[in-house]
Amino acid sequence: MTSSSTRLDRYISKNSPYSKSDVRLLIAQQRILVGGKPAESIRQLIDKFSRVELDGVCLQQKRPVYIMLNKPKGVVSATRDGTHTTVVDLIDHPEKHDLHIAGRLDFNTTGLILLTNDGLWSRRLSLPESKLAKTYQVTVAKPLNADYVAAFFRGIYFAYEDITTQPAKLEIVSPHEARLTLVEGKYHQVKRMFGHFQNEVLSLHRVSVGPIALRELEPGQCRELSEAEIRETGGLVA
């Protein structure tokens, strides 16, 4: 059992006049529905997204929400900020204040950012073993060359943490522009990787996270993920 789940008998006792000892009989009489189906056991696990009905009355119905936003420059990756506009401020959704950010972007970094009320999903996206590819468009101050491509593929050593970055794919688009795909998200990683060459990052724009891509979204626009995008990333389709 996870900390976000509870047994059905405990849930019913907390959210109805019935005690835990009554639940077994309620189940036998098929008076409890979970997800539209008769409850199976007093030990059946209930989480915040389970639809629970007792005698035709809905005790809980909360759906998982997955939103993608094209973050503009100068917007804070936070749910609240006393000074700056936050990503949540840009979202028009009735459950916006229940959302949290799955993978932040720096103040001046633009592009794809994901928000959700599903903590298991956001943790899954951030796990190192998920190796979820993140792709960025990068503009730098000095011209790029094949040395960058080779170094990014080998991995770049960060002395402060005493680590070497995992192999990353760098595609040079023009002398000062590149497309970078990596599977990590260490602190200021992209800027530090180019900093290895004393090359300043002038702009950084995230275009995709795994199978989820910005495509037609304009800066400041958002939309809910499609069922296909949710399934491909392990989310719960309502």
Side-chain angles (χ1 to χ4, degrees):
M1 183 187 305
T2 66
S3 59
S4 58
S5 302
T6 187
R7 283 173 40 146
L8 178 62
D9 55 354
R10 292 172 185 163
Y11 177 84
I12 294 296
S13 67
K14 288 181 180 179
N15 293 277
S16 79
Y18 296 98
S19 67
K20 289 172 62 176
S21 60
D22 295 326
V23 175
R24 197 181 301 274
L25 178 59
L26 295 173
I27 291 174
Q29 295 172 336
Q30 295 194 340
R31 293 166 62 186
I32 304 174
L33 301 182
V34 178
K37 299 178 181 179
E40 301 169 354
S41 163
I42 60 173
R43 297 182 179 84
Q44 187 168 348
L45 295 182
I46 303 301
D47 63 30
K48 66 179 181 179
F49 298 129
S50 301
R51 178 182 172 88
V52 182
E53 299 170 78
L54 173 60
D55 292 335
V57 177
C58 185
L59 303 182
Q60 174 179 272
Q61 181 181 19
K62 184 174 184 179
R63 72 181 186 93
V65 177
Y66 309 93
I67 290 177
M68 60 185 295
L69 167 75
N70 188 348
K71 184 183 102 61
K73 185 176 181 178
V75 172
V76 179
S77 292
T79 54
R80 295 182 182 85
D81 189 279
T83 305
H84 301 99
T85 300
T86 72
V87 291
V88 171
D89 293 332
L90 301 179
I91 294 174
D92 181 16
H93 192 281
E95 298 178 56
K96 61 187 286 184
H97 295 297
D98 290 332
L99 304 178
H100 62 270
I101 300 163
R104 298 171 184 271
L105 293 176
D106 295 339
F107 185 69
N108 290 319
T109 300
T110 61
L112 176 61
I113 196 164
L114 300 170
L115 299 99
T116 184
N117 60 358
D118 184 350
L120 291 177
W121 182 75
S122 59
R123 285 194 291 275
R124 190 180 302 119
L125 293 187
S126 63
L127 288 173
E129 53 266 32
S130 72
K131 294 190 179 296
L132 197 65
K134 305 171 187 69
T135 300
Y136 298 82
Q137 294 171 347
V138 191
T139 303
V140 293
K142 300 177 183 178
L144 300 164
N145 57 49
D147 291 341
Y148 287 77
V149 177
F152 278 49
F153 182 75
R154 287 194 307 267
I156 292 177
Y157 179 67
F158 289 169
Y160 182 77
E161 296 99 327
D162 190 27
I163 58 169
T164 299
T165 61
Q166 294 187 35
K169 181 180 180 182
L170 185 71
E171 303 170 82
I172 298 176
V173 178
S174 72
H176 294 268
E177 296 176 317
R179 187 177 178 89
L180 173 64
T181 301
L182 44 76
V183 295
E184 296 175 290
K186 301 190 183 303
Y187 181 70
H188 290 319
Q189 180 169 346
V190 175
K191 294 178 181 177
R192 294 169 69 191
M193 291 175 80
F194 284 99
H196 175 78
F197 292 91
Q198 288 78 52
N199 198 346
E200 182 186 0
V201 172
L202 301 179
S203 69
L204 184 60
H205 180 74
R206 186 158 68 191
V207 297
S208 65
V209 175
I212 305 170
L214 276 178
R215 296 188 180 92
E216 76 286 353
L217 276 189
E218 296 294 328
Q221 288 186 336
C222 66
R223 69 167 175 83
E224 291 199 47
L225 299 190
S226 67
E227 288 191 4
E229 290 166 331
I230 294 169
R231 286 194 182 96
E232 288 175 351
T233 52
L236 302 170
V237 177

